[in-house]
Amino acid sequence: MKAHDGMYIDGAWRPAEGRDVIEVVNPADERVIGTVPAGTAEDVDAAVRAARAALPGWSATAPAERAARLAALRDVLAAREEEIAETVTAELGSPLAFSRTVHAGVPIAVAGSYADLAATYAFEEKVGNSTVYHEPVGVVGAITPWNYPLHQIVAKAAPALAAGCTVVLKPAEDTPLTARLFAGAVDEAGLPAGVFNLVTGLGPVAGPALAEHPDVDLVSFTGSTAVGRRIGAIAGAAVKKVALELGGKSANVILPSADLARAVNVGVANVMSNSGQTCSAWTRMLVHRDQYEEALTLAATAAAKYGERIGPVVNAKQRARVRGYIEKGVAEGARLVAGGPESPRERGYFVSPTVLADVTPEMTVAQEEIFGPVLSILRYDDEEDALRIANGTVYGLAGAVWAGDEAEAVAFARRMDTGQVDINGGRFNPLAPFGGYKQSGVGRELGAHGLTEYLQTKSLQF
């Protein structure tokens, strides 16, 4: 197979002769579906230099003009919605219906939200005898994961561009084809050369080259907490700004007054969505001991419905990782009530939708992020016990609370050490700030809070 002509740098697809190639594999059938160049530190440097050269012009562009360019980008993405969905399905294995609604639909909406924000955000304000200016932080190095390939790109690139920053993107090597589609959309939308640049490459090579580059002013990374620590250390040594969206082990707390059947069914669906490859998934279900056995029956029945509907995990390494966690959970005393480590299909990186019962808070499966379709169900004795368990990990990204009375759920949620909580199945809001407490990250994405991450503040006194 031929690699793509190159990488998108300074408004053009640059040839990549002599570069190794990265094979892109469809995780549903293990076939190679394409290749992209494995970018080097030299490619990263060229992209950063292009972004730096484009920064003065783009940052000086009126917010209304930036808004118009982002609206054009949104329109191009919308026109390519089906192609985006099919590409995500091919390289991630996501069921096509989910790719259409979530992997394509959500980032298009997010891009539109930043077109609106760029036109309305108060980049200048009066505070007493001062005029305060909110200015672009500069060149942004964006490093994105594979689990929501377009959403993670848009959640970084759109606010950065709205703020007046320029961007160099290093996407995950498992899902680079979606990133190429985005670069093509940027080109078609007519953004100036160098404002957005794409370097495909392996994480250990291109990632550090981007994070360490002296002309990168901010590093925005989404991925594992372990890698986030390394990027934070690199950025800290250079005193450059970081935005880190990291791991999660979110608690789904079902209080005794809740509609148990609805809470369990929605909770199982949340964990199985995207094959469990969601950092904010509610992977710990907390149920009062008097309702525990009923909840297990409901969860096992719900999980069984996903056997033929769930997609694969992204690659063989991830499948082995998830299976290992299931086996470790059983070895530590958990009980299988659905699924298990055995592969449900002969071909493809599939993992059975799995529910583990009798999980205790100290078990590995209750403490570490698995990133697969695995739900752990834990008992609690009373509300204080539930809160202790919910807050008892190093993470604090998301969560859920269910109760018969909304005020009861809100009161509990306010005591949770986590960045986002859904009350009685509250809907996803693309304008609400997303990000975590503790080791789940630094900073926020989406909405006005996401835009603020890419700004720095200057005050003039009169």
Side-chain angles (χ1 to χ4, degrees), residues 444-460:
R444 292 296 182 266
E445 292 186 329
L446 303 180
H449 291 80
L451 177 59
T452 302
E453 293 293 331
Y454 298 93
L455 295 168
Q456 54 191 349
T457 305
K458 176 186 294 179
S459 63
L460 275 63

Side-chain angles (χ1 to χ4, degrees), residues 211-212 225-240 242 244:
E212 294 169 355
T225 298
V227 176
R229 286 194 197 99
R230 293 200 293 272
I231 289 174
I234 291 169
V239 197
K240 69 174 68 176
V242 293
L244 304 173

Side-chain angles (χ1 to χ4, degrees), residues 25-113:
V25 176
N26 184 331
D29 59 19
E30 304 178 46
R31 290 186 301 108
V32 175
I33 57 173
T35 60
V36 295
T40 64
E42 289 76 18
D43 296 313
V44 170
D45 181 63
V48 173
R49 283 189 284 107
R52 177 59 62 185
L55 181 63
W58 182 248
S59 63
T61 301
E65 174 61 19
R66 297 201 297 266
R69 297 297 180 96
L70 283 168
L73 175 60
R74 173 204 58 207
D75 293 344
V76 174
L77 292 171
R80 298 184 177 185
E81 187 170 5
E82 186 64 16
E83 182 184 6
I84 292 166
E86 291 175 353
T87 302
V88 173
T89 291
E91 63 180 353
L92 183 62
S94 168
L96 186 56
F98 189 79
S99 293
R100 286 175 176 141
T101 57
V102 176
H103 287 296
V106 170
I108 291 168
V110 171
S113 76

